[in-house]
Amino acid sequence: MSYTVNCSILLTDLPLLERPAAARAAGFDAVEFWWPFASPVPADRDVDAFVAAIRDAGVQLSGLNFDAGDMPGGDRGLVSWIGREAEFAENVAVVAAIGERTGCTAFNALYGNRQPEHSPAAQDALAVQNLVAAAQGVARIGGTVLLEPVSGTPAYPLKTAQDALDVITKVRQAGADNIRLLADFYHLAVNGDDVAAVIEQHAAEFGHIQIADAPGRHEPGTGELPLQQWIDRSRALGYSGRVGLEYKASQGDPFAWLSSRTASRTGA
């Protein structure tokens, strides 16, 4: 397997644009990011600086989130957010442009928290429309939209793999096939999903895997999850993509857990 470092949650002691080079110095050849800008449509100079940081570090941008709103403030996506349709549409164009410049083809669209002032049905209908538009927007560069169950946010409605797969089915029925499940084993486990069963049923269809241990959302080996077993089984069943390291470091060297393994940091 090959790992990709999520530089939005790891290496946070460094300025964001220095993190790709730090990941490369640590031995990795790929990175992924949550939306790295303060607005859905950042200034051209900011996009240029981000792309240059990836290029100059000599790493592959393997994944990028669409804008998810104010994440530190509790937002978890614009996909189902009634009233922000135009922002999301504009963001899709920027995401596709970054993907074209970097060779990135995997784009995570966080669904969005429930808005009590609107019906769930109305929010879900908008989500399907937005996901179709996102899928169509990245299709021209061979892109795939990822949909992810998330933990720790009660208002976020996609908590199990099946929750996300139900939405994916609706999007495909609406005409967009390039959308897949992002299987974050930490989120699924914390939400009480049967991760082993999800792997048995859907591993070959995963669009991406991300890992962190639980409890704590720290590096593998700090908790109780059989992450390596789950990864190995996913591989055996047909998953061939990278594994995203999306955890909070509990010690100075966030990758020390790998040093005890015979595998190199670019693969196992």
Side-chain angles (χ1 to χ4, degrees), residues 85-179:
E85 298 92 330
E87 290 176 69
F88 186 75
E90 292 172 345
N91 183 238
V92 169
V94 179
V95 167
I98 292 173
E100 187 169 29
R101 294 176 65 181
T102 60
C104 181
T105 58
F107 307 101
N108 184 17
L110 290 181
Y111 197 80
N113 295 332
R114 285 300 192 207
Q115 300 169 275
E117 66 272 26
H118 297 290
S119 72
Q123 293 169 74
D124 292 341
L126 175 63
V128 170
Q129 294 175 22
N130 278 336
L131 288 168
V132 168
Q136 292 173 341
V138 301
R140 67 178 180 81
I141 61 167
T144 297
V145 172
L146 305 175
L147 192 62
E148 176 185 20
V150 170
S151 65
T153 305
Y156 190 89
L158 307 186
K159 294 187 167 57
T160 67
Q162 193 60 54
D163 291 337
L165 289 166
D166 288 345
V167 176
I168 288 170
T169 296
K170 293 178 182 178
V171 173
R172 289 176 174 168
Q173 289 173 343
D177 292 329
N178 56 323
I179 180 169

Side-chain angles (χ1 to χ4, degrees), residues 1 185 195-206 209 226-240 243:
M1 89 202 64
F185 292 160
V195 179
V198 171
I199 291 168
E200 291 298 317
Q201 296 166 17
H202 303 290
E205 306 164 25
F206 288 167
I209 290 174
L227 294 171
Q228 192 60 56
Q229 176 183 324
W230 287 343
I231 293 168
D232 291 344
R233 187 57 180 160
S234 298
R235 293 286 186 202
L237 292 172
Y239 178 73
S240 59
V243 173

Side-chain angles (χ1 to χ4, degrees), residues 257-265 267-268:
W257 62 277
L258 281 166
S259 63
S260 63
R261 303 191 178 192
T262 57
S264 72
R265 289 183 178 179

Side-chain angles (χ1 to χ4, degrees), residues 17 37 41-53 101:
L17 295 183
F37 307 105
V41 183
D44 289 346
R45 64 179 179 277
D46 293 331
V47 174
D48 290 344
F50 177 73
V51 171
R101 294 176 65 181

